[in-house]
Each structure stands twice: as structure tokens, then as C-alpha cells.
Amino acid sequence: MIIDCHGHYTTAPAVLKDYRAEQAAGLGDPGYKPRPFDITIGDDEIRESVEGAQLKLQRERGTDLTVFSPRAAGMAHQDGNEISNGLWTRICNDMIYRACTLYPENFVGVCQLPQAPGVAPANCIPELERCVNELGFIGLNLNPDPTGGYWTDPPLFDRWWYPLYDKMVELDVPAMIHVSSSCNPHFHFTGAHYINGDTAAFMQVLTSDIFKDFPSLKFIIPHGGGAAPYHWGRYRGLAQDMGRPPLDELLLNNVYFDTCVYHQAGIDLLTKVIPTKNILFASEMVGAVRGIDPETGFPFDDTKRYIDNAPGLDPYAKKAIFEDNVRAVFPRLKI
Amino acid sequence: MIIDCHGHYTTAPAVLKDYRAEQAAGLGDPGYKPRPFDITIGDDEIRESVEGAQLKLQRERGTDLTVFSPRAAGMAHQDGNEISNGLWTRICNDMIYRACTLYPENFVGVCQLPQAPGVAPANCIPELERCVNELGFIGLNLNPDPTGGYWTDPPLFDRWWYPLYDKMVELDVPAMIHVSSSCNPHFHFTGAHYINGDTAAFMQVLTSDIFKDFPSLKFIIPHGGGAAPYHWGRYRGLAQDMGRPPLDELLLNNVYFDTCVYHQAGIDLLTKVIPTKNILFASEMVGAVRGIDPETGFPFDDTKRYIDNAPGLDPYAKKAIFEDNVRAVFPRLKI
């Protein structure tokens, strides 16, 4: 079985985006109260939105199950406040639940959180509990920068986050550390903000004791771990210079990298440098890059091909990356 | 000849740091006027500061010449205003000039700029002209984020920067795009802010027409180009999805990556993915990582070894990386 641990509902019906745009526009008015989302989306619309996209690509590429979450850029926590983001998050998570219910063999849910700039992550706990306990979700996407590129809320090692970590441990769910869209003109969202968010998160766990405080907490750093594997020597050296433990001891019992790296040489480096047990198959489809690589004739984001062709991986290692590691990191996955 | 295009005067006498700390502390007082730097630093102190460090490492590692600039984290443009940063920059550049004058076969100068948050880069032109025309410097370090991790000044493609680019073209000097220290707790300086600054800069040139407007402008993106080479497929794909030209046409006549990547696998990826003509030898010594890699028994930042051992490089390619490319990017280098 091949499990893609990183897929977003990027093809959700357009009325969702329209509703969110209305919310964002309303925020300028201090008296604005977001209206409830009262538009009916039929099951057929949901089927149509995934049949020609995620499901088609699963079939074409030979993958089985996608760990499915709301569109990452769509979370846009900076475009809302606690109330509007609460409504929006519930809507997005419910859409995931419906897709998973329609296609229980193809999708399993991961939620977004109702984070908002300046609002304590502890306030996200009721929605996380609802998604895990009532909707059967197996993990969450945690946005380390709800300000959308200005990074003015506390970093991941701050105790600000600890109540949420406590709940994650209790529920036994991992978090993918995934930023959302960027409202900072310095950072293109999929080209800079995503990758920089990954790298920042990695360094935040390297320099802190999060995993001493939460030994069973699990973070997935997407997009192949940002820059971390490419600069693995730098990170090993920085940890050593700081008197920190070696990286395998410091964080490799808790941190996992996905395989959203869109060329063979990148996957070859990832699979060479990072222990196999810390690598989870993912393609981020339908996602950041949608074209055909003219150098190979295949889609850039068909990452299964790169794993299939990675020279250093034996069949056991491939099975671990494609399935076993994903199951180990998502203990609630029972399919 | 082996030319290291990225070395900082990290070992400068401590009185410099003390002076800068006094400046930074004074900024809280609206009436503060920084005193001129009136401490005499003798030639012997300068000799002592580099003999046991940069020069010793040059000898040990078999490199010849270092393109030498002030300590990158020491620029700390966020800790000053136009006046204090102007004074500070002049002091730092003069120190580089003195080191280069004492060791003309070992060092050639690159300047920092008197940038400050909210201050137009055009105001840096007199100091750039002084460094190039009077001190014989061959390039500059350009900080894309003088706010130290909050990224609130305009990005590199904004016309805010264009007068400086005009002057760079006129003087025929390249810029290394190098952030400084971080005052944002999200970003460890050498582990996150540096690498993220590189990745952000790369994406800023990918999405803009800077090099259409300045066809002979040259940027060096340090630390192996941040995350760019590891995610080269993503960047090729994003450019294609956006209808931009292929990367070699769009930016590889103007953008160069250094070799400050501290393990063999990283250098192997860099030299495999990026055309040889776009790679410049560098070690950043004495810099971010100072220890011995227990996996190899050699210093992490002895990057010459990785180039020597890179499987895909023939002797011509190695000579290009070690010398010819550096000369091509720094036309004012005449040694």
C-alpha cells in the first residue's frame, strides 16, 4: 500500500474561496460579524472536484491513500480573527470529512486549526478534539506563523504552544508544521514562505527542548524538510558547536520529513542523508507545482517515481517510506 | 589559484563589538549621538586576529586568496539608524581595508553597506563608491532585510533598490545577498535567517524582472543558494507554471551560488544540479560552523575537500569553481 501523507483539498468548490474572501473583506469593518456558511454543496460537487484531480492522479501514479487536509494557502490565518477563522476552519474541516466519507479508501483526514494572530494555540483544542474524536481525523496542520510572513507570534518552542502539544500527545496525533499563504511581499508562498517555514521550524526544534518536554510529540516537516537535509552538515555542526546532542538523539525520534522534493537529485540527497525511518512518502498533489518536467516528461510532483528510482533504497526501505513510516507516525491510521 | 569568495572578519578585535554595543544601547535615547570611534587598533592587533585564524586555515587547507568582508552578523542594520550605521559601516570597511593592505596576497576587500531600516538603499552609494574607488574593494554585501528578521522593508525587486543596482553596474561589482543577525526569535541567525534569506532572495529574482532591467547585474546567493538547489525541480516547475522563461535564461546569467554547504552530499547535489559556471568556491571560514565533523575527522567548513571529492567534476570544472568563475563574477579582482 502506498500512502501519500501530504495532500490538500486544493480543488474544493469555488464557493468556499468566495465565502472566505467575503470574510477577509469584512475584517476592515470593526462591527463586521461573519455570516454562517449557508451554501449547500452537494456530494456530486465534491465528487466532481476530486475525481478528475486527486483520485485520477492516485490511479495514474499507483498510490492508494492520501492523508488529506484543507488547502494550506487557504488557511490564511492572517486574513481573519478568532471568530472568522473559527467558522472558516470548521467549514474546511467538514469538507475534508465529507470527502473522506465519500472515498474512505482514498482519503483520511487531517485538520487545519482555527489559529489567529495573537490568539493562544490552546484555543484550538476544541476543534482539534472535534476533528479527531468525532470526524476520525488522524493529525493536524500547525501553522508556525499565523501572521502570514511577519513572524510576530511566539516560536514553536515557546510555552504559548504547550497546551496544544499536551493535547496532541493525549490524542496521539502528529502535526505537519505547515505555513499558509504569505502577505509579506518578500515571500512568495510556495517558493519561499513554505520552504522557509520548514527551515525555521527545523532550527526551532534543534535549539530547544520541546521533545525533552514532550518525548512522544511528533512533527512532520514538509517539502522535504525545507533546506535542512541539503544543509545537514551545517545543522550537525551547529548542534555540535552549541553543545547540543547529536541530531539523531536530539530530534530524529520526533521529526519526520516528507518527500515533496520535485526532482531526482533532491530525493537522492534526502534518502542518502536522512535515516529511512524519518522519511514519509508525499507528493503534495494537487499542489504547488502542476506541470510536466521537460527534462523527464513526467509531472514534477510525481514523487513516487523518484523514490522508485532512488539508488540507495532497497525494497524494504521503499516500503518503509511508502507505508510503514506513515503508519508509525499516524497511529490513528487504521485502514 | 584557489579563491574563497566568502570570508568574514569574524575575528576582529573585541573593541569593535564593544563600540557597536554602545551604539545599540544608545538608540533607546532619542537625543543620543554616537561618538566617533577613537580607539586605536594597532597593525599588530590586526595581524594577531587573522594569523591564527583565517591565514592559518588558508595555509592548512591549501587555499590562496579570500574575498574578505566585515562580519555578516555584525552589520546588524536593525541595531542602528542611518547615522550610527554610517559610522559603524565606515569603521568595519576600514578594518577590512587594513587587513587587505597588510596581507595583499591573502585578502581582497568586499564592503558592508550603511543600510538602515526604512532608509533608501540609494543612500549607500557614497560608501560603496568610497570602498570601490578609494579602498580597492571588488564587491559588496547587500542585506535584503535590514530589519533583522521582520522583513518589513521592500523586497529586492522593488525600485527602492534600483539606484544601488545602477551604481553596481556602473562600478562593475557584484553583490552577495547576505542577511545579518536576527532579532526575531523565530530565526536563529546562521541556522535559519541566513538560509531563509538566501531562499527568499532566489525566489524574488525568479518572480521579477530585475535582470531584464539590469542585464549585467550580478548576485551571489551564499550558503549554497539556501534551499534553491535542493528544490531545483520545484523552482523549475514554479517558473514554468508562471510562464516565466527557463531558469538558465531567466537568472543563470546573473545569479551565482557559493559552496558554503558543509557536507559531501550537499556539495554533490549542488555540483550536479547547478551549471558549473554558476558555482563559486567559498567556505565562510572562520564562520558559522567551526567544529570537526565526527563522520569525516575534518572541519565541517573545509569545503575544498568536498569539491576535491565531488564525483561529477573534472579538473576543468574544479578550476572553474576554485578560480575562473570567481574572477568572472568579480571583474575588479586583478591579483
Side-chain angles (χ1 to χ4, degrees), chain B residues 251-273:
Chain B
L251 50 78
L252 288 178
N253 292 314
N254 306 84
V255 168
Y256 302 86
F257 302 116
D258 80 11
T259 65
C260 293
V261 178
Y262 297 154
H263 61 150
Q264 187 68 49
I267 290 289
D268 291 351
L269 176 132
L270 173 69
T271 53
K272 181 167 191 181
V273 167

Side-chain angles (χ1 to χ4, degrees), chain B residues 82 114-116 118-124 160:
Chain B
E82 194 171 3
Q115 298 174 247
V119 175
N123 297 16
C124 299
W160 171 258

Side-chain angles (χ1 to χ4, degrees), chain A residues 32-77:
Chain A
Y32 172 74
K33 288 205 173 41
R35 65 176 172 91
F37 184 72
D38 53 8
I39 300 158
T40 306
I41 296 176
D43 284 352
D44 280 352
E45 275 181 90
I46 295 175
R47 285 195 192 95
E48 200 181 326
S49 71
V50 295
E51 279 286 356
Q54 289 85 355
L55 294 181
K56 176 168 167 278
L57 294 175
Q58 280 185 355
R59 283 190 299 267
E60 284 176 6
R61 300 179 184 182
T63 66
D64 301 294
L65 179 71
T66 298
V67 178
F68 204 46
S69 63
R71 194 167 63 96
M75 301 189 294
H77 296 110

Side-chain angles (χ1 to χ4, degrees), chain A residues 250-267:
Chain A
L250 176 63
L251 50 81
L252 288 179
N253 293 314
N254 307 83
V255 167
Y256 302 85
F257 302 116
D258 80 11
T259 65
C260 294
V261 178
Y262 296 154
H263 62 152
Q264 187 68 50
I267 289 290

Side-chain angles (χ1 to χ4, degrees), chain A:
Chain A
M1 189 170 185
I2 296 185
I3 309 171
D4 183 335
C5 82
H6 184 182
H8 299 295
Y9 195 3
T10 45
T11 56
V15 288
L16 287 166
K17 275 192 196 171
D18 298 343
Y19 172 80
R20 180 60 169 171
E22 182 190 306
Q23 273 197 347
L27 271 188
D29 168 7
Y32 172 74
K33 288 205 173 41
R35 65 176 172 91
F37 184 72
D38 53 8
I39 300 158
T40 306
I41 296 176
D43 284 352
D44 280 352
E45 275 181 90
I46 295 175
R47 285 195 192 95
E48 200 181 326
S49 71
V50 295
E51 279 286 356
Q54 289 85 355
L55 294 181
K56 176 168 167 278
L57 294 175
Q58 280 185 355
R59 283 190 299 267
E60 284 176 6
R61 300 179 184 182
T63 66
D64 301 294
L65 179 71
T66 298
V67 178
F68 204 46
S69 63
R71 194 167 63 96
M75 301 189 294
H77 296 110
Q78 73 277 9
D79 287 344
N81 56 30
E82 194 171 3
I83 293 169
S84 60
N85 287 355
L87 269 166
W88 173 238
T89 296
R90 214 178 151 96
I91 295 163
C92 292
N93 290 336
D94 284 348
M95 289 297 294
I96 294 297
Y97 173 67
R98 291 181 62 192
C100 295
T101 306
L102 287 170
Y103 299 98
E105 293 184 359
N106 300 93
F107 295 131
V108 59
V110 151
C111 64
Q112 76 177 50
L113 295 177
Q115 298 175 246
V119 176
N123 297 16
C124 299
I125 290 175
E127 177 64 5
L128 175 62
E129 287 184 310
R130 181 181 83 93
C131 290
V132 174
N133 292 330
E134 297 175 29
L135 309 186
F137 286 16
I138 62 169
L140 58 139
N141 289 339
L142 184 162
N143 181 353
D145 172 32
T147 71
Y150 289 99
W151 298 90
T152 48
D153 269 5
L156 294 173
F157 48 75
D158 195 283
R159 286 181 182 260
W160 171 257
W161 295 95
Y162 274 29
L164 182 63
Y165 299 160
D166 258 330
K167 184 54 67 176
M168 286 172 56
V169 167
E170 182 197 315
L171 295 172
D172 208 5
V173 288
M176 180 170 280
I177 309 298
H178 200 311
V179 295
S180 183
S181 57
S182 160
C183 57
N184 186 327
H186 276 279
F187 306 128
H188 182 276
F189 73 123
T190 50
H193 192 43
Y194 282 20
I195 306 295
N196 286 0
D198 305 334
T199 308
F202 179 77
M203 196 62 193
Q204 289 178 25
V205 300
L206 189 155
T207 52
S208 69
D209 290 324
I210 298 177
F211 302 126
K212 213 178 252 179
D213 294 338
F214 298 94
S216 64
L217 189 69
K218 293 191 194 105
F219 285 172
I220 300 158
I221 303 192
H223 320 109
Y230 176 47
H231 286 287
W232 202 242
R234 170 176 282 253
Y235 292 109
R236 288 196 292 110
L238 284 170
Q240 181 173 291
D241 284 358
M242 289 177 202
R244 307 282 297 165
L247 297 186
D248 53 351
E249 190 181 315
L250 176 63
L251 50 81
L252 288 179
N253 293 314
N254 307 83
V255 167
Y256 302 85
F257 302 116
D258 80 11
T259 65
C260 294
V261 178
Y262 296 154
H263 62 152
Q264 187 68 50
I267 289 290
D268 291 352
L269 176 132
L270 173 69
T271 52
K272 182 168 189 179
V273 167
I274 304 298
T276 297
K277 76 175 174 64
N278 296 87
I279 303 174
L280 311 187
F281 175 65
S283 70
E284 205 185 352
M285 64 90 173
V286 179
V289 177
R290 304 187 181 198
I292 304 290
D293 185 346
E295 293 185 7
T296 65
F298 296 103
F300 281 106
D301 68 355
D302 186 356
T303 54
K304 177 170 171 292
R305 268 172 200 284
Y306 310 134
I307 305 293
D308 283 340
N309 295 328
L313 299 177
D314 64 26
Y316 299 101
K318 286 178 190 172
K319 181 170 183 303
I321 291 170
F322 281 135
E323 177 174 2
D324 304 345
N325 298 345
V326 185
R327 291 189 183 279
V329 172
F330 290 92
R332 283 179 172 264
L333 175 59
K334 301 294 183 203
I335 300 173

